[in-house]
Amino acid sequence: MDRRELADFLRSRRERVRPSDIGLPVGRRRRTPGLRREEVAALATISVDYYTRLEQARGPRPSRQVLGALGRALRLSDDERAYLFRLAGEQPEPLNGPPSTVRHGVLHLLERLDDTPAMVIDAKHEVIAWNRLAAALIADFGSLPPRDRNILRRRFLLCDKDGSRFGSEESDQFAREAVADLRAAAARYPDDPAIRALIDELLAGSEEFAGLWAEREVRVQRGLCKTIIHPVIGPIVLQCETLLVPDLDQRVVIYSAEPGTPSHDALRLLKVIGTQDMRSETV
Protein backbone atom coordinates (compact mmCIF):
# COMPACT_ATOMS: atom_id res chain seq x y z
CA MET A 1 0.00 0.00 0.00
CA ASP A 2 1.40 3.38 -1.06
CA ARG A 3 -0.05 5.59 1.72
CA ARG A 4 1.52 8.83 0.57
CA GLU A 5 0.43 8.55 -3.06
CA LEU A 6 -3.01 7.34 -1.96
CA ALA A 7 -3.38 10.40 0.27
CA ASP A 8 -2.30 12.80 -2.47
CA PHE A 9 -4.53 11.11 -5.04
CA LEU A 10 -7.61 11.24 -2.82
CA ARG A 11 -6.99 14.90 -2.05
CA SER A 12 -6.55 15.83 -5.70
CA ARG A 13 -9.72 13.98 -6.74
CA ARG A 14 -11.71 15.53 -3.89
CA GLU A 15 -10.67 19.03 -4.91
CA ARG A 16 -11.75 18.32 -8.47
CA VAL A 17 -15.39 17.48 -7.66
CA ARG A 18 -17.58 20.58 -7.45
CA PRO A 19 -20.38 20.76 -4.86
CA SER A 20 -22.84 21.43 -7.67
CA ASP A 21 -21.85 18.08 -9.22
CA ILE A 22 -23.57 16.29 -6.34
CA GLY A 23 -26.37 18.78 -5.79
CA LEU A 24 -24.81 20.82 -2.93
CA PRO A 25 -24.84 24.63 -2.75
CA VAL A 26 -21.46 26.23 -3.39
CA GLY A 27 -21.64 28.63 -0.43
CA ARG A 28 -19.26 31.45 0.43
CA ARG A 29 -17.03 29.91 3.06
CA ARG A 30 -15.33 27.20 1.02
CA ARG A 31 -11.56 27.48 0.98
CA THR A 32 -11.31 25.19 -2.06
CA PRO A 33 -13.64 24.77 -5.03
CA GLY A 34 -13.97 21.04 -4.35
CA LEU A 35 -15.73 18.96 -1.74
CA ARG A 36 -15.00 19.03 1.96
CA ARG A 37 -13.67 15.94 3.67
CA GLU A 38 -16.87 15.48 5.63
CA GLU A 39 -18.87 15.57 2.40
CA VAL A 40 -16.75 12.82 0.83
CA ALA A 41 -17.04 10.79 4.03
CA ALA A 42 -20.81 11.15 4.01
CA LEU A 43 -21.06 10.14 0.36
CA ALA A 44 -18.87 7.09 0.99
CA THR A 45 -20.67 6.27 4.29
CA ILE A 46 -17.46 6.24 6.31
CA SER A 47 -16.43 8.34 9.30
CA VAL A 48 -14.84 11.74 8.79
CA ASP A 49 -11.94 10.73 11.04
CA TYR A 50 -11.27 7.61 8.94
CA TYR A 51 -11.25 9.57 5.69
CA THR A 52 -9.10 12.35 7.20
CA ARG A 53 -6.47 9.81 8.25
CA LEU A 54 -6.42 8.40 4.70
CA GLU A 55 -5.70 11.86 3.30
CA GLN A 56 -2.99 12.34 5.93
CA ALA A 57 -1.25 9.09 4.94
CA ARG A 58 -1.72 7.58 8.38
CA GLY A 59 -4.86 5.54 7.91
CA PRO A 60 -5.26 1.75 7.84
CA ARG A 61 -5.43 -0.18 4.61
CA PRO A 62 -8.95 0.42 3.25
CA SER A 63 -11.13 -2.54 2.34
CA ARG A 64 -12.39 -3.19 -1.17
CA GLN A 65 -15.83 -1.99 -0.08
CA VAL A 66 -14.40 1.33 1.13
CA LEU A 67 -12.35 1.75 -2.04
CA GLY A 68 -15.43 1.15 -4.16
CA ALA A 69 -17.44 3.65 -2.13
CA LEU A 70 -14.68 6.27 -2.43
CA GLY A 71 -14.52 5.72 -6.17
CA ARG A 72 -18.23 6.41 -6.47
CA ALA A 73 -18.13 9.39 -4.11
CA LEU A 74 -15.26 11.01 -5.99
CA ARG A 75 -16.74 10.18 -9.40
CA LEU A 76 -13.63 8.39 -10.57
CA SER A 77 -13.27 7.10 -14.10
CA ASP A 78 -12.59 3.40 -14.68
CA ASP A 79 -8.86 4.10 -15.04
CA GLU A 80 -8.81 6.22 -11.87
CA ARG A 81 -10.75 3.59 -9.93
CA ALA A 82 -8.27 0.91 -11.00
CA TYR A 83 -5.39 3.18 -9.93
CA LEU A 84 -7.03 3.78 -6.53
CA PHE A 85 -7.31 0.04 -5.91
CA ARG A 86 -3.71 -0.60 -6.87
CA LEU A 87 -2.46 2.19 -4.56
CA ALA A 88 -4.17 0.35 -1.72
CA GLY A 89 -2.58 -2.95 -2.72
CA GLU A 90 -5.79 -4.40 -4.20
CA GLN A 91 -6.72 -5.69 -7.62
CA PRO A 92 -9.25 -3.40 -9.37
CA GLU A 93 -12.93 -4.24 -9.18
CA PRO A 94 -14.24 -6.09 -12.23
CA LEU A 95 -16.70 -4.12 -14.30
CA ASN A 96 -20.32 -5.21 -14.10
CA GLY A 97 -20.41 -5.86 -17.83
CA PRO A 98 -18.57 -5.21 -21.10
CA PRO A 99 -18.59 -1.55 -22.20
CA SER A 100 -20.78 -0.93 -25.25
CA THR A 101 -19.63 2.59 -26.17
CA VAL A 102 -17.31 2.70 -29.19
CA ARG A 103 -14.71 5.45 -29.38
CA HIS A 104 -15.11 8.10 -32.07
CA GLY A 105 -11.64 7.27 -33.35
CA VAL A 106 -12.60 3.63 -33.87
CA LEU A 107 -15.83 4.63 -35.63
CA HIS A 108 -13.80 6.91 -37.89
CA LEU A 109 -11.49 3.99 -38.67
CA LEU A 110 -14.46 1.85 -39.74
CA GLU A 111 -15.65 4.60 -42.07
CA ARG A 112 -12.21 5.01 -43.64
CA LEU A 113 -12.04 1.27 -44.39
CA ASP A 114 -14.59 1.63 -47.16
CA ASP A 115 -13.09 -1.24 -49.22
CA THR A 116 -12.55 -3.56 -46.24
CA PRO A 117 -15.27 -5.21 -44.13
CA ALA A 118 -14.77 -4.29 -40.47
CA MET A 119 -16.82 -4.36 -37.29
CA VAL A 120 -16.44 -3.95 -33.53
CA ILE A 121 -17.53 -6.67 -31.11
CA ASP A 122 -17.63 -6.58 -27.33
CA ALA A 123 -16.56 -9.30 -24.90
CA LYS A 124 -19.76 -11.31 -25.37
CA HIS A 125 -19.42 -11.17 -29.18
CA GLU A 126 -22.11 -8.53 -29.63
CA VAL A 127 -21.64 -6.55 -32.85
CA ILE A 128 -21.76 -2.94 -31.63
CA ALA A 129 -20.41 -1.10 -34.71
CA TRP A 130 -19.79 -1.97 -38.35
CA ASN A 131 -19.10 -0.42 -41.73
CA ARG A 132 -21.12 -0.77 -44.92
CA LEU A 133 -19.01 -3.53 -46.41
CA ALA A 134 -19.31 -5.65 -43.27
CA ALA A 135 -23.09 -5.30 -43.50
CA ALA A 136 -22.94 -6.37 -47.16
CA LEU A 137 -20.65 -9.32 -46.40
CA ILE A 138 -22.14 -10.78 -43.21
CA ALA A 139 -25.53 -9.25 -42.37
CA ASP A 140 -27.32 -5.93 -42.46
CA PHE A 141 -26.94 -5.49 -38.73
CA GLY A 142 -28.84 -2.22 -38.70
CA SER A 143 -32.02 -4.01 -39.78
CA LEU A 144 -31.68 -6.76 -37.17
CA PRO A 145 -33.01 -6.72 -33.59
CA PRO A 146 -30.12 -6.11 -31.16
CA ARG A 147 -30.22 -9.67 -29.79
CA ASP A 148 -29.73 -11.06 -33.32
CA ARG A 149 -26.48 -9.11 -33.73
CA ASN A 150 -24.63 -11.50 -31.44
CA ILE A 151 -22.11 -13.58 -33.39
CA LEU A 152 -22.37 -16.57 -31.05
CA ARG A 153 -26.15 -16.60 -31.16
CA ARG A 154 -26.02 -16.42 -34.96
CA ARG A 155 -23.44 -19.21 -35.16
CA PHE A 156 -25.04 -21.68 -32.77
CA LEU A 157 -28.76 -20.84 -32.90
CA LEU A 158 -30.04 -18.60 -35.68
CA CYS A 159 -28.04 -19.96 -38.58
CA ASP A 160 -28.77 -23.57 -37.60
CA LYS A 161 -32.48 -22.78 -37.53
CA ASP A 162 -32.22 -21.22 -40.98
CA GLY A 163 -30.94 -24.50 -42.37
CA SER A 164 -27.32 -23.45 -42.83
CA ARG A 165 -24.76 -26.20 -42.57
CA PHE A 166 -21.53 -25.91 -40.63
CA GLY A 167 -19.01 -28.68 -40.83
CA SER A 168 -15.83 -27.30 -42.32
CA GLU A 169 -12.59 -27.19 -40.40
CA GLU A 170 -12.68 -23.37 -40.37
CA SER A 171 -16.14 -23.23 -38.84
CA ASP A 172 -15.23 -25.83 -36.21
CA GLN A 173 -12.13 -23.84 -35.30
CA PHE A 174 -14.13 -20.63 -34.97
CA ALA A 175 -16.76 -22.33 -32.82
CA ARG A 176 -14.17 -23.80 -30.49
CA GLU A 177 -12.23 -20.54 -30.11
CA ALA A 178 -15.39 -18.45 -29.68
CA VAL A 179 -16.66 -20.69 -26.87
CA ALA A 180 -13.28 -20.58 -25.12
CA ASP A 181 -13.29 -16.80 -25.50
CA LEU A 182 -16.78 -16.54 -24.00
CA ARG A 183 -15.64 -18.57 -20.98
CA ALA A 184 -12.78 -16.12 -20.46
CA ALA A 185 -15.25 -13.21 -20.68
CA ALA A 186 -17.55 -14.86 -18.14
CA ALA A 187 -14.64 -14.93 -15.68
CA ARG A 188 -13.87 -11.25 -16.29
CA TYR A 189 -17.51 -10.24 -15.76
CA PRO A 190 -18.90 -12.70 -13.19
CA ASP A 191 -21.81 -10.40 -12.28
CA ASP A 192 -22.99 -9.55 -15.79
CA PRO A 193 -26.53 -10.95 -16.27
CA ALA A 194 -26.35 -10.56 -20.07
CA ILE A 195 -23.37 -12.92 -20.35
CA ARG A 196 -24.99 -15.42 -18.01
CA ALA A 197 -28.25 -15.31 -19.98
CA LEU A 198 -26.39 -15.80 -23.27
CA ILE A 199 -24.56 -18.84 -21.91
CA ASP A 200 -27.78 -20.37 -20.58
CA GLU A 201 -29.55 -19.78 -23.90
CA LEU A 202 -26.73 -21.36 -25.90
CA LEU A 203 -26.51 -24.34 -23.54
CA ALA A 204 -30.24 -24.96 -23.88
CA GLY A 205 -30.42 -24.44 -27.63
CA SER A 206 -27.24 -25.95 -29.08
CA GLU A 207 -25.79 -29.39 -28.39
CA GLU A 208 -22.63 -28.32 -30.20
CA PHE A 209 -22.15 -25.35 -27.85
CA ALA A 210 -22.94 -27.48 -24.80
CA GLY A 211 -20.29 -30.01 -25.82
CA LEU A 212 -17.65 -27.34 -26.38
CA TRP A 213 -18.57 -25.54 -23.15
CA ALA A 214 -18.11 -28.77 -21.19
CA GLU A 215 -14.49 -28.98 -22.37
CA ARG A 216 -13.71 -25.83 -20.32
CA GLU A 217 -11.17 -24.39 -22.70
CA VAL A 218 -10.17 -20.78 -21.99
CA ARG A 219 -8.64 -18.69 -24.77
CA VAL A 220 -8.89 -15.12 -26.02
CA GLN A 221 -9.77 -15.23 -29.71
CA ARG A 222 -7.31 -13.78 -32.20
CA GLY A 223 -7.32 -14.05 -36.00
CA LEU A 224 -8.08 -16.89 -38.40
CA CYS A 225 -8.89 -17.61 -42.01
CA LYS A 226 -12.56 -17.68 -42.97
CA THR A 227 -14.61 -18.60 -46.01
CA ILE A 228 -17.77 -16.54 -46.44
CA ILE A 229 -20.35 -17.98 -48.84
CA HIS A 230 -22.20 -15.00 -50.25
CA PRO A 231 -25.63 -15.77 -51.81
CA VAL A 232 -24.75 -13.87 -55.00
CA ILE A 233 -20.96 -13.79 -55.27
CA GLY A 234 -20.23 -17.23 -53.84
CA PRO A 235 -17.25 -18.31 -51.69
CA ILE A 236 -14.91 -15.54 -50.52
CA VAL A 237 -11.73 -16.60 -48.72
CA LEU A 238 -10.71 -13.95 -46.21
CA GLN A 239 -8.14 -13.41 -43.51
CA CYS A 240 -9.79 -12.30 -40.29
CA GLU A 241 -7.58 -10.10 -38.12
CA THR A 242 -8.53 -8.92 -34.65
CA LEU A 243 -7.24 -5.65 -33.17
CA LEU A 244 -7.71 -5.30 -29.42
CA VAL A 245 -9.02 -2.19 -27.67
CA PRO A 246 -7.83 -3.32 -24.22
CA ASP A 247 -9.26 -0.63 -21.95
CA LEU A 248 -12.78 -1.13 -23.36
CA ASP A 249 -12.41 -4.91 -23.80
CA GLN A 250 -13.51 -4.57 -27.41
CA ARG A 251 -12.15 -5.94 -30.67
CA VAL A 252 -12.01 -4.49 -34.14
CA VAL A 253 -12.49 -7.39 -36.58
CA ILE A 254 -11.12 -6.75 -40.07
CA TYR A 255 -11.64 -9.03 -43.08
CA SER A 256 -9.12 -8.78 -45.90
CA ALA A 257 -8.28 -10.66 -49.08
CA GLU A 258 -4.93 -10.97 -50.81
CA PRO A 259 -4.68 -8.55 -53.76
CA GLY A 260 -4.98 -10.18 -57.14
CA THR A 261 -7.01 -13.13 -55.91
CA PRO A 262 -10.61 -13.94 -56.84
CA SER A 263 -11.62 -13.13 -53.26
CA HIS A 264 -10.12 -9.64 -53.57
CA ASP A 265 -12.12 -9.12 -56.76
CA ALA A 266 -15.20 -10.44 -54.96
CA LEU A 267 -14.87 -7.78 -52.25
CA ARG A 268 -14.64 -5.08 -54.91
CA LEU A 269 -17.83 -6.42 -56.49
CA LEU A 270 -19.51 -6.62 -53.09
CA LYS A 271 -18.78 -2.95 -52.53
CA VAL A 272 -20.86 -2.20 -55.63
CA ILE A 273 -23.68 -4.61 -54.78
CA GLY A 274 -24.00 -3.53 -51.15
CA THR A 275 -26.84 -4.89 -49.01
CA GLN A 276 -29.75 -6.24 -51.00
CA ASP A 277 -31.55 -8.35 -48.38
CA MET A 278 -29.11 -11.19 -49.02
CA ARG A 279 -27.77 -13.62 -46.47
CA SER A 280 -24.26 -15.05 -46.43
CA GLU A 281 -23.04 -18.22 -44.79
CA THR A 282 -19.75 -18.64 -42.96
CA VAL A 283 -18.10 -22.05 -43.32
Side-chain angles (χ1 to χ4, degrees), residues 3 144 265:
R3 282 183 170 82
L144 297 176
D265 294 336

Side-chain angles (χ1 to χ4, degrees), residues 175-187:
R176 180 173 296 278
E177 291 188 2
V179 173
D181 186 74
L182 181 61
R183 183 176 286 279

Side-chain angles (χ1 to χ4, degrees), residues 18-26 35:
R18 301 295 188 268
S20 58
D21 293 339
I22 60 171
L24 293 176
V26 176
L35 298 180

Side-chain angles (χ1 to χ4, degrees), residues 184-198:
R188 294 197 301 276
Y189 305 100
D191 299 323
D192 182 29
I195 290 182
R196 185 68 258 171
L198 176 63

Side-chain angles (χ1 to χ4, degrees), residues 42-256:
L43 290 170
T45 62
I46 59 178
S47 72
V48 178
D49 178 67
Y50 181 86
Y51 180 75
T52 299
R53 283 186 288 145
L54 287 177
E55 277 204 7
Q56 293 175 346
R58 58 185 183 89
R61 179 176 176 176
S63 67
R64 296 182 63 86
Q65 291 77 10
V66 168
L67 291 170
L70 287 173
R72 291 187 293 272
L74 296 172
R75 301 198 165 194
L76 301 185
S77 67
D78 291 338
D79 291 337
E80 290 171 334
R81 188 180 295 107
Y83 184 63
L84 175 68
F85 270 72
R86 291 191 175 98
L87 288 177
E90 294 280 355
Q91 287 299 312
E93 285 183 318
L95 297 174
N96 291 330
S100 59
T101 301
V102 182
R103 285 203 188 110
H104 291 296
V106 175
L107 294 175
H108 181 63
L109 173 64
L110 296 185
E111 293 176 359
R112 293 293 299 271
L113 294 173
D114 62 342
D115 60 349
T116 303
M119 60 186 181
V120 180
I121 61 174
D122 66 10
K124 60 181 181 294
H125 285 247
E126 202 84 28
V127 179
I128 54 179
W130 58 91
N131 63 9
R132 293 181 180 179
L133 204 50
L137 176 69
I138 302 172
D140 187 2
F141 296 108
S143 66
L144 297 176
R147 62 176 281 103
D148 292 349
R149 298 172 190 168
N150 186 279
I151 298 298
L152 289 169
R153 188 177 284 112
R154 290 177 58 83
R155 168 60 178 83
F156 290 103
L157 300 178
L158 301 180
C159 292
D160 285 345
K161 291 181 179 180
D162 287 343
S164 300
R165 290 294 178 263
F166 296 94
S168 72
E169 182 179 346
E170 292 173 11
S171 182
D172 291 343
Q173 179 188 359
F174 168 76
R176 180 173 296 278
E177 291 188 2
V179 173
D181 186 74
L182 181 61
R183 183 176 286 279
R188 294 197 301 276
Y189 305 100
D191 299 323
D192 182 29
I195 290 182
R196 185 68 258 171
L198 176 63
I199 294 171
D200 291 342
E201 181 183 2
L202 293 172
L203 286 172
S206 172
E207 292 184 3
E208 181 187 9
F209 178 87
L212 293 172
W213 187 258
E215 295 182 12
R216 289 178 166 76
E217 290 190 25
V218 179
R219 185 186 312 131
V220 176
Q221 194 175 30
R222 298 292 189 248
L224 71 160
C225 185
K226 278 189 178 182
T227 300
I228 306 290
I229 301 178
H230 192 273
V232 173
I233 299 176
I236 309 174
V237 180
L238 300 169
Q239 182 64 37
C240 176
E241 295 293 342
T242 301
L243 307 179
L244 300 180
V245 186
D247 56 323
L248 293 178
D249 204 359
Q250 295 172 357
R251 277 159 272 185
V252 182
V253 183
I254 301 175
Y255 296 92
S256 62

